[in-house]
Amino acid sequence: MPGATPAAPVVGGYAAANANDETVKAAETLAVAEIYRRDPQRGLVEQVKREQQVVAGMNYRFTIKMTGVNS
């Protein structure tokens, strides 16, 4: 959600991730590239929900809405 202030990460749980954070941007770019690699017919990214989880490291979860249909 652009402009939304992300909540502080909760250890063990997912919280909103900062869309402007360089690490989040890099992970999102990697996720979108993998979608296009697996399904080159996908359309453009319309919306992304970004979340992160603090555990022994950092996990990211993206819900990506795209135009087009699955083959």
Side-chain angles (χ1 to χ4, degrees):
M1 297 179 176
T5 304
V10 177
V11 176
Y14 277 94
N18 183 347
N20 296 315
D21 181 277
E22 292 303 319
T23 306
V24 174
K25 286 181 183 180
E28 181 179 332
T29 298
L30 181 66
V32 171
E34 182 62 17
I35 290 169
Y36 284 130
R37 186 188 72 75
R38 292 181 185 195
D39 188 1
Q41 304 304 313
R42 293 304 300 177
L44 301 175
V45 174
E46 290 183 341
Q47 181 180 5
V48 179
K49 178 180 177 185
R50 300 159 189 89
E51 298 175 288
Q52 62 187 30
Q53 177 187 38
V54 179
V55 285
M58 183 71 75
N59 293 327
Y60 296 97
R61 178 168 59 190
F62 300 100
T63 305
I64 302 172
K65 180 179 176 185
M66 302 179 83
T67 61
V69 295
N70 284 329
S71 315

